[in-house]
Amino acid sequence: MSSQNDLLNSMKEQIGLMQDRLVGMEARIDGLLEAAPEPVAAVVSDGSMGLTLFVFALAIFLGVELITKVPSQLHTPLMSGSNAISGITIVGAVLTLQNLPEGSPLVPIIGFLAVATASVNVVGGYLVTDRMLGMFKSKKEDK
Amino acid sequence: MQSFAYIVASILFILGLKRLGSAATARQGNLLSAVGMLLALVATLIDSGFSWGWILAGMVIGGAIGGYAAKKVEMTGMPEMVALFNGSGGIASLLVGWASSTPGTTLTPAVSIPLFLAVLIGGVTFTGSVVAYLKLSEKIDGKPVMFKGQQILNIIILAALLLCGVLYVINSGGIGNPWLILAVLLSFAFGVMAVIPIGGADMPVVIALLNSYSGLAACAAGFIINNTVLIVSGSLVGASGIILTGIMCKAMNRSLGNVLFSGFGSASSSAGKAVEGEAKPISADDTYYILEAASSVTFVPGYGMAVAQAQHAVKELGALLEENGCEVNFAIHPVAGRMPGHMNVLLAEADVPYEQLVEPDDVNPNMAATDVAIVIGANDVVNPAARTDESSPLYGMPIINVDMAKTCIVLKRSLRPGYAGVENPLFFCENTRMLLGDAKASVQSLVAQFKED
């Protein structure tokens, strides 16, 4: 009988110890959670830096090759047309308004301004280029 | 799906840029690149989790402003407009960078470095473009602004920017990061400092360079969010802007460094040899007789034609001369005007067919056989001192050799030297006649005389 009680008592003791440990672990996890950074937002890039740098280098070379042979009469439309392309930053601007972090009211305002200014660039750039190019007429078309 | 759409968009941008390189396909090229833009945008928006209110408000407001400005702008105001659009792209990239510096996240250097660069380049592009706009629209004086210690101040700003960059990358994160905010302000200051010492006639170089910067800023923004369509199109624009800048510098026979830092034509640079002789004025009546007898005429337009808004009158005169059995062309120097291709746009607006617009290399060999060269508001690009006078600041610049034509008629407001402050021996040549007065009024009176007969 006594041996059975001893066994039960020791089991109870063990459970108590385990309980203490679990509580300690819980506290430690809480601590870790607090210390850990917010989950990294979707906009932040991962480690594939090498590949993107490669793409960047190729695109620069491609741009140089594309532009070298442009006649001077097209310089203005080329400039305003490529300027409209640089409005591609609108994609970045839109992405800043995705999954907004809590508690920073400034981010949506900055994002809104980014979308607005990029839209000026895109819409204005393409329209003005088109308007200009519409004026370039060949003699043949005239007659 | 999304990355596939981005690839297609990038291809459309590349094809569009390629087609912008030839007059027959340019309009189609612009349309292709616009389709690419729409595709990239739609592909981005099919994701979820957006704050639609902010996005739609931004697009509607920004699109309306851009669309209105593009419809309303006069062709003579095109350089300012392009400067403003460049500036809006720059500030957009700055804001994208700033908003991506989300609080509470730890940014790796692979993110924080491009983020800092997007803010820096975007800021410089923004204020640089605004100053260029103010100068071009003559809201401020177009002359170079130079002061003592300017270079030292520039170096201090650059060093401070570098320091901010290092400190930001070390302490990254947070839109309220003081180093990032300081960097925004410093990049604004640097943009202003970079453009104020550059004078009106060097604006084609500045506009092309700012165009390149706006692309590079977008490219840096692409690295922050690891988005290939931004990186590809941003670097395409960056590269094309650099090429165009190079073409402009070559057309002036100057290095980029010289354009950016020298404050050309300011008091310190020499004005070349003093020119002796007397300019011979001519009346509109006598000009008419010369033109009526001419069998080949070359027009050389410059910024003065844009200021006087004389392009329609010039076109009319050209058409009347053609009816009279005369061969007419328009020789356009790459840096005539205030932005690359400025004169071409104005003459295209006046319906001059683009076959008649020729480059200096094509007209110079035939100049001696040309009966009359008419210079309209151009000065430095026709200054023969660039060919002959080694002490002239223009020496070595490729020019249009109007002094070699049988007769050269210069339409000019007064006998003052041109923008660069350099004496122009052309005005004193044996075969040069000066038709003084407002270019538009002079051309209109010639047109009236042709119509009378």
Side-chain angles (χ1 to χ4, degrees), chain B residues 191-381:
Chain B
V192 173
M193 290 296 291
V195 179
I196 52 167
I198 299 173
D202 291 343
M203 276 302 159
V205 180
V206 177
I207 303 269
L209 195 63
L210 288 170
N211 184 34
S212 169
Y213 287 170
S214 73
L216 292 177
C219 182
F223 274 102
I224 307 171
I225 56 178
N226 204 12
N227 184 311
T228 39
V229 76
L230 257 76
I231 296 171
V232 169
S233 35
S235 39
L236 284 176
V237 177
S240 78
I242 289 283
I243 295 280
L244 211 50
T245 310
I247 294 173
M248 294 298 119
C249 288
K250 210 173 143 203
M252 296 198 288
N253 191 38
R254 292 164 64 199
S255 70
L256 182 57
N258 183 277
V259 175
L260 294 182
F261 303 117
S262 74
F264 196 59
S266 58
S268 58
S269 69
S270 83
K273 274 185 206 153
V275 192
E276 283 168 24
E278 209 179 320
K280 292 171 280 293
I282 191 173
S283 67
D285 289 350
D286 293 340
T287 311
Y288 164 68
Y289 292 125
I290 294 176
L291 287 179
E292 206 206 0
S295 60
S296 58
V297 171
T298 295
F299 288 92
V300 182
Y303 185 54
M305 183 183 81
V307 174
Q309 303 253 16
Q311 66 272 24
H312 294 279
V314 169
K315 191 257 159 170
E316 212 180 343
L317 181 60
L320 287 167
L321 282 167
E322 272 201 309
E323 270 174 40
N324 200 30
C326 174
E327 207 178 293
V328 176
N329 61 18
F330 297 81
I332 295 173
H333 195 277
V335 293
R338 291 290 185 265
M339 69 174 168
H342 193 183
M343 293 300 121
N344 300 88
V345 172
L346 288 183
L347 290 171
E349 186 206 6
D351 277 338
V352 176
Y354 58 73
E355 289 91 346
Q356 279 187 351
L357 311 178
V358 288
E359 296 185 27
D361 287 346
D362 301 323
V363 282
N364 278 339
N366 305 325
M367 199 49 95
T370 304
D371 287 334
V372 187
I374 305 179
V375 178
I376 305 165
N379 194 340
D380 295 334
V381 298

Side-chain angles (χ1 to χ4, degrees), chain A residues 52 76 83 97-99 126 131 138, chain B residues 33 48-49 70 73 86 340 355:
Chain A
T52 40
T76 301
N83 171 44
L97 289 169
Q98 191 181 25
N99 303 323
Y126 280 119
R131 210 181 125 200
S138 167
Chain B
S33 108
S48 58
V73 64
N86 266 334
E355 289 91 346

Side-chain angles (χ1 to χ4, degrees), chain B residues 54-216:
Chain B
W54 292 111
I55 291 176
L56 288 177
M59 283 183 180
V60 169
I61 293 171
I65 295 172
Y68 180 79
K71 281 264 176 283
K72 285 288 158 197
V73 64
E74 296 278 336
M75 283 299 132
T76 42
M78 204 49 97
E80 298 90 288
M81 196 77 258
V82 172
L84 278 187
F85 287 154
N86 266 334
S88 64
I91 189 82
S93 293
L94 179 148
L95 293 168
V96 169
W98 194 14
S100 303
S101 187
T102 331
T105 53
T106 334
L107 302 178
T108 61
V111 175
S112 57
I113 292 173
L115 195 154
F116 184 78
L117 287 176
V119 166
L120 169 65
I121 304 172
V124 171
T125 312
F126 174 59
T127 51
S129 300
V130 169
V131 174
Y133 162 77
L134 292 173
K135 283 194 169 204
L136 288 166
S137 58
E138 290 176 339
K139 293 199 166 65
I140 59 172
D141 195 349
K143 289 206 181 70
V145 178
M146 310 282 277
F147 54 86
K148 225 177 164 188
Q150 196 165 15
Q151 303 293 31
I152 297 168
L153 184 59
N154 284 340
I155 292 169
I156 292 172
I157 296 178
L158 268 182
L161 271 168
L162 197 68
L163 188 69
C164 280
V166 171
L167 289 168
Y168 173 72
V169 172
I170 295 172
N171 305 297
S172 78
I175 46 171
N177 184 310
W179 302 115
L180 192 61
I181 289 170
L182 191 59
V184 170
L185 298 175
L186 283 171
S187 68
F188 282 169
F190 192 66
V192 173
M193 290 296 291
V195 179
I196 52 167
I198 299 173
D202 291 343
M203 276 302 159
V205 180
V206 177
I207 303 269
L209 195 63
L210 288 170
N211 184 34
S212 169
Y213 287 170
S214 73
L216 292 177

